[in-house]
Amino acid sequence: MRPSGRDNDQLREVRITRNYTKHAEGSVLVEFGDTKVLCTASVERGVPRFLRGSGSGWVTAEYGMLPRSTGSRMGREAARGKQGGRTVEIQRLIGRSLRAVMDLDKLGENTITIDCDVIQADGGTRTASITGACVALKDAIDFLKKDKNGAMKGNPFKGMLGAVSVGIYKGQPVLDLDYAEDSKAETDMNVIMTEAGGFVEVQGTAEGETFTQDELNAMLALASKGIKEIVEIQKAALQS
Amino acid sequence: MRPSGRDNDQLREVRITRNYTKHAEGSVLVEFGDTKVLCTASVERGVPRFLRGSGSGWVTAEYGMLPRSTGSRMGREAARGKQGGRTVEIQRLIGRSLRAVMDLDKLGENTITIDCDVIQADGGTRTASITGACVALKDAIDFLKKDKNGAMKGNPFKGMLGAVSVGIYKGQPVLDLDYAEDSKAETDMNVIMTEAGGFVEVQGTAEGETFTQDELNAMLALASKGIKEIVEIQKAALQS
Amino acid sequence: MRPSGRDNDQLREVRITRNYTKHAEGSVLVEFGDTKVLCTASVERGVPRFLRGSGSGWVTAEYGMLPRSTGSRMGREAARGKQGGRTVEIQRLIGRSLRAVMDLDKLGENTITIDCDVIQADGGTRTASITGACVALKDAIDFLKKDKNGAMKGNPFKGMLGAVSVGIYKGQPVLDLDYAEDSKAETDMNVIMTEAGGFVEVQGTAEGETFTQDELNAMLALASKGIKEIVEIQKAALQS
Amino acid sequence: MRPSGRDNDQLREVRITRNYTKHAEGSVLVEFGDTKVLCTASVERGVPRFLRGSGSGWVTAEYGMLPRSTGSRMGREAARGKQGGRTVEIQRLIGRSLRAVMDLDKLGENTITIDCDVIQADGGTRTASITGACVALKDAIDFLKKDKNGAMKGNPFKGMLGAVSVGIYKGQPVLDLDYAEDSKAETDMNVIMTEAGGFVEVQGTAEGETFTQDELNAMLALASKGIKEIVEIQKAALQS
Amino acid sequence: MRPSGRDNDQLREVRITRNYTKHAEGSVLVEFGDTKVLCTASVERGVPRFLRGSGSGWVTAEYGMLPRSTGSRMGREAARGKQGGRTVEIQRLIGRSLRAVMDLDKLGENTITIDCDVIQADGGTRTASITGACVALKDAIDFLKKDKNGAMKGNPFKGMLGAVSVGIYKGQPVLDLDYAEDSKAETDMNVIMTEAGGFVEVQGTAEGETFTQDELNAMLALASKGIKEIVEIQKAALQS
Amino acid sequence: MRPSGRDNDQLREVRITRNYTKHAEGSVLVEFGDTKVLCTASVERGVPRFLRGSGSGWVTAEYGMLPRSTGSRMGREAARGKQGGRTVEIQRLIGRSLRAVMDLDKLGENTITIDCDVIQADGGTRTASITGACVALKDAIDFLKKDKNGAMKGNPFKGMLGAVSVGIYKGQPVLDLDYAEDSKAETDMNVIMTEAGGFVEVQGTAEGETFTQDELNAMLALASKGIKEIVEIQKAALQS
């Protein structure tokens, strides 16, 4: 029995609100239950130095948590003067995953920066971030399509990307862990898949107990089911 | 004629939403038109080193802007590894102002940290922050009152604090400048007053043209009017 | 009765020594009583990136205190690896104020950097800094006038700038607070005015008690009187 | 056909040299072909603040690359003033994995720090690091067993941990990628398992092409085979 | 012929002004010709962590240059966020040298921090700093002697320390190089000796041409002569 | 009697292994007894900004210690976010010394970076570093000679450079101090000489007791003898 009363293969309510703020080329509030992340996509002409003159574009991501998005206040990273290891890990994961659905040559020499800022945390902030970021990225690309100076060379977007966490909680494989589960799970795994069903990232970590091949397969099956549902919600949001 | 069509002495619509997020002891979304700031108050037992053993408490503030709260993306301060001068100035102002309505001895050895994070910026983020922060602070104090272990010694809160910007725009004194005005104003002034009508801070800066004593007096009169209205809105929010 | 025995509207002795060090294009030791600040102006060809190609120049300021300029030793900011919030606030104020008396277009693509380093502190270091910096700035501009390669386009200097602190001390408005007064004042205000009598900055802060409109007006009158005297001293120094 | 001529399920030559340097409580040079990593284990009494008084110990890891361990020189992280995101990710992975084979309560209030410094890189530095680190950790624990003041409470070491990379290279699942393969692989996966065959970490990343469930299973089978061989080599080294 | 017209074995005019600023326990302006350094000694109760409970005291030094003490403006180290290598080298040298004339056990658990801040640079700032610092240190010790709570155990000061630079300039050994010589010298050597004539530090560096044993001996003889004269000036200053 | 049983004028066994790692243009493991330092030389086209367009090349050095190269673990400088003062001092010394045997004009606009990383420390790491670095530098220059694009203008290498420490230990001048001696020596001196017998650097520091001219001369004679032997070993290594 899960703390939230959900079935083992049941997502939290996933909500995606586009145009949440007014300045960004893509601005999405994504909610997985009480986890709320603001994902903005910012388009800038030009690319980082290592790509200049290549004709190719770039997609990168940054991640942050508001200090009181969590149960007890976390020190502000800007005040401490550095981003923590967890932050760095997550933003590298987001950026790498999004690039997996992009044809950077077609993007032209544009950079899209995705900012994922956690307003409220209740587990699964990295998978919610990727889910929302992909929608914001799509909006930014649609903005660039309409922009004559953007100089894209065709459609760089290869399809949606969904992400969800799965885990072993009290010996059972479960889908989309909230904080109450995540903090006690034996295994925690983040899975990122394309809408076509290919794996982009699989990151599973044993916390205390190791996990078996069977448990891994059960978790991947749950993830696959959940991501299909998430992609439907992304597509519905993009059509509204 | 103001870009927004407002009268010279007219505030933007000010909205205050309490309990905006679930973890903080005080959590307020404050909106001055399109300027939106999330103000959270976090209560922690204990005080900074310089107050330990004094029996006195502490109130401090931090301020940040989400990277794409603005028209073009600002670099993330956590990524750059330091807070900019403007950030430091603003968070010192917020903290100092809030302490002006606190009796820190009565607070006991508790620290209340106010985080003001700008979700969307359209001018006046520092005055909106102080306005929202004061409401979040009041909620945090009410939380502490109910907490037997909080060890307050009476009510440390001396009354509401409102803040507003005023300026000289196209030669006219105007109240509550939005970004379109602020970026072109000849003079920009931030005024912070108690609900009893005393001045806590007055910070006026000439941008290009200097200002006269008469202009200063006209701006202060506008600020006084605006802050009275803001305090009414704060009080209404606290009663809802 | 003031600790120093001065009248309420009496400045400390203000001394301005030009050419205090030999390398800088402007080098001024300014003393307000026991407060001693070395203000140097350094001229460099070129401007920061955001002005390149604009034809316009730039004036900026940096501020520092020698570690033992104060009663107890302050940690060296270079050793701690960052400038404190107070330092940042003050140097932004100095730079912004000086730019108010400059026509940056006429300066051409030159940068003048003003360094204000406090040798000995006894209250009022920021107003002494601005007062001395303005004289050093004038010397640097006169240096540029004689320099054929400096490429100024006319006289960029619009007139002198004086600065002084005022406050409410033991219920009385007083002019030019020294440390003994400053550390106990109910209100502390820094006022910066042009020699023509226009306000450039007004920054008043209540420490404990709020202040009224009448007190504000009394303080501004004192400041106006003091700055007139300071401008006379600046002009006398420039003629010697 | 692999660039090295190896079979798809063939490891590089794995060598483990204990007591490589003289000061550390555990000091292991691990070589996977041309990848060479020095892994040292340092024992210190006491634990980080968050564990003080808990009776429990701690194991943590740091990772670094010598500037010219790679084909072109990498900037020294100490000189740049921060560890890069990749470094942070890897050292968190090493520490987390090693803790999976430790009973920290039995370790007592001791901290073991594992340093993995890459002398020469040719792909697979993180899996080589974990493989060598586990042997150095075992040596450090054996050191502590002999130390009366170490105050362990029984044997904290739960068994060996082996790590290896697998991937999809030119459409084929392959074991233990060297740099020539790693830089061109479609998928790269790091697998960490206990000697008992349980998964501790699985981290798979698609580079360009996504991967399927079948490919994932094939890679895990290769990893399982390779790790069994690696554990044998670890055990042989510990007995010599 | 030296640029200054001095004889090869002639010091610049050396001036030592005590009580130069009012807050520090020792405050000395030292001038070697146009090189001017303010040396302050600050006494604090307590010692760094590594000495706590040892009964022994500590002497340490910090060094800085005002940004425009030099011919062209140097970036402010506090603004750049780190002390340069040259600064670190010099302040370690100053601290180490001063400790050579101290009996730290007799100092008791007090820390004396020497700040050497260069007001104007014209070569030889490190040797001028040590020369002035030693006088400021002596004043601080005399302050501690009169302080009942200072808890010294006898006189910790073992005697004066003088420092001077020597070098090979246009093939000739010369004493006390100014900037015009220093920037062109073939060899530059800093020598620090006690008043009893013992060497504390010898640091000689060839710039371009190597130097011979004979040249080394000639330079040391010049240094010895110069330091004798410097110690006389220090003693005269202490008696005035 | 020395702890190692060596004669006062006896070096430890000095071993030089070239091509120790495979990527660098010069890669040397140098051992002075138990002190082991990996010295790599990396060639890059181009020079730092201050030399661009000058036609001249640059040689620079960086130094680091592996965290557990020492008896107790030292914090990793990359993790602390800055290089310590000792590190900075040593790498400046290495770079400056190597430039003394280079004709940088003949090097052309190439930069050679020498990395000296201490694998195991037992006293004398800086002199071992310079000794090994010189051999690595020679190998890098020979690499450049064969490289048509390297654009050297003749042979920039002026001859070998050897370095050794000497000191006063228990009142006796001794050659090549190991850690057991170094930590108790009254005086510690590092001497760097060319193969032609010229001094490049002499750095002597009294630890507790000052030293006399006679002791200085005795130490220099020992150093001269030791460096002659070291240069022979360098040359033998280069011929093997």
Side-chain angles (χ1 to χ4, degrees), chain A:
Chain A
M1 201 63 170
R2 305 176 71 174
S4 60
R6 279 186 285 148
D7 293 337
N8 287 357
D9 67 349
Q10 191 182 343
L11 292 173
R12 289 177 284 183
E13 189 184 352
V14 173
R15 283 176 301 273
I16 292 174
T17 307
R18 289 164 63 214
N19 303 316
Y20 189 72
T21 55
K22 72 174 186 178
H23 296 300
E25 286 75 32
S27 174
V28 166
L29 183 77
V30 61
E31 300 170 80
F32 276 47
D34 275 349
T35 289
K36 303 182 187 197
V37 185
L38 175 54
C39 306
T40 59
S42 298
V43 173
E44 285 163 297
R45 298 292 171 268
V47 283
R49 182 182 302 267
F50 69 93
L51 284 173
R52 265 176 223 160
S54 70
S56 181
W58 190 240
V59 173
T60 186
E62 295 192 2
Y63 171 92
M65 298 184 86
L66 294 193
R68 199 54 198 281
S69 58
T70 48
S72 59
R73 185 175 184 273
M74 297 184 347
R76 187 178 291 266
E77 292 185 324
R80 275 184 294 154
K82 62 181 284 195
Q83 294 180 302
R86 179 182 170 277
T87 295
V88 168
E89 251 184 57
I90 293 176
Q91 65 193 13
R92 282 164 60 90
L93 174 65
I94 299 171
R96 194 167 63 226
S97 299
L98 293 173
R99 287 191 294 273
V101 290
M102 289 291 292
D103 182 332
L104 294 173
D105 286 334
K106 290 190 178 155
L107 181 55
E109 290 207 6
N110 297 294
T111 296
I112 301 177
T113 303
I114 307 291
D115 286 287
C116 297
D117 284 276
V118 178
I119 305 294
Q120 187 172 280
D122 189 36
T125 65
R126 80 188 71 189
T127 46
S129 292
I130 292 167
T131 297
C134 189
V135 176
L137 174 62
K138 180 68 169 67
D139 276 338
I141 288 165
D142 289 344
F143 167 88
L144 262 172
K145 277 184 192 160
K146 293 175 201 142
D147 177 358
K148 291 182 201 165
N149 300 319
M152 290 206 301
K153 312 164 206 163
N155 179 17
F157 190 72
K158 299 196 286 189
M160 295 309 296
L161 193 70
V164 78
S165 73
V166 285
I168 307 292
Y169 174 74
K170 298 194 174 176
Q172 299 286 320
V174 294
L175 177 65
D176 186 22
L177 288 74
D178 57 30
Y179 180 76
E181 292 167 327
D182 191 32
S183 55
K184 296 192 176 163
E186 293 99 52
T187 292
D188 181 25
M189 179 172 287
N190 294 294
V191 181
I192 307 170
M193 297 178 80
T194 59
E195 62 176 297
F199 289 106
V200 168
E201 282 273 342
V202 172
Q203 292 198 341
T205 302
E207 314 271 357
E209 293 296 301
T210 61
F211 55 96
T212 65
Q213 175 81 43
D214 284 351
E215 288 174 322
L216 177 57
N217 287 342
M219 289 189 286
L220 291 173
L222 283 179
S224 186
K225 171 186 180 293
I227 289 173
K228 280 203 186 79
E229 293 171 27
I230 286 166
V231 170
E232 290 311 306
I233 294 165
Q234 290 174 314
K235 290 186 169 175
L238 282 164
Q239 269 149 23
S240 70

Side-chain angles (χ1 to χ4, degrees), chain B residues 82-86 88-89 92-93 96 100 158 189 194 197-213 216-217 220-221, chain C residues 82-86 88-89 92-93 96 100 158 189 194 197-213 216-217 220-221:
Chain B
K82 62 181 286 194
Q83 294 180 303
R86 180 183 169 277
V88 167
E89 251 184 57
R92 283 165 59 92
L93 174 66
R96 194 168 63 226
K158 300 197 285 189
M189 177 172 289
T194 59
F199 288 106
V200 167
E201 284 270 345
V202 173
Q203 292 197 342
T205 302
E207 314 270 358
E209 293 297 302
T210 61
F211 55 97
T212 65
Q213 176 82 43
L216 177 56
N217 288 343
L220 292 173
Chain C
K82 62 182 287 193
Q83 294 180 302
R86 180 183 168 277
V88 168
E89 252 184 57
R92 283 164 59 91
L93 174 65
R96 194 167 63 226
K158 300 196 285 189
M189 178 172 288
T194 60
F199 289 106
V200 167
E201 282 272 342
V202 172
Q203 293 197 341
T205 301
E207 313 271 356
E209 293 297 300
T210 60
F211 56 96
T212 65
Q213 176 81 42
L216 177 57
N217 287 343
L220 292 173

Side-chain angles (χ1 to χ4, degrees), chain B residues 179-234:
Chain B
Y179 180 76
E181 292 167 327
D182 190 32
S183 56
K184 296 193 175 161
E186 293 100 51
T187 291
D188 181 23
M189 177 172 289
N190 294 293
V191 181
I192 306 169
M193 297 178 80
T194 59
E195 62 175 295
F199 288 106
V200 167
E201 284 270 345
V202 173
Q203 292 197 342
T205 302
E207 314 270 358
E209 293 297 302
T210 61
F211 55 97
T212 65
Q213 176 82 43
D214 285 350
E215 288 174 321
L216 177 56
N217 288 343
M219 289 188 284
L220 292 173
L222 282 178
S224 185
K225 171 184 181 294
I227 289 173
K228 279 202 188 82
E229 294 171 27
I230 285 166
V231 169
E232 290 310 306
I233 294 164
Q234 290 174 313

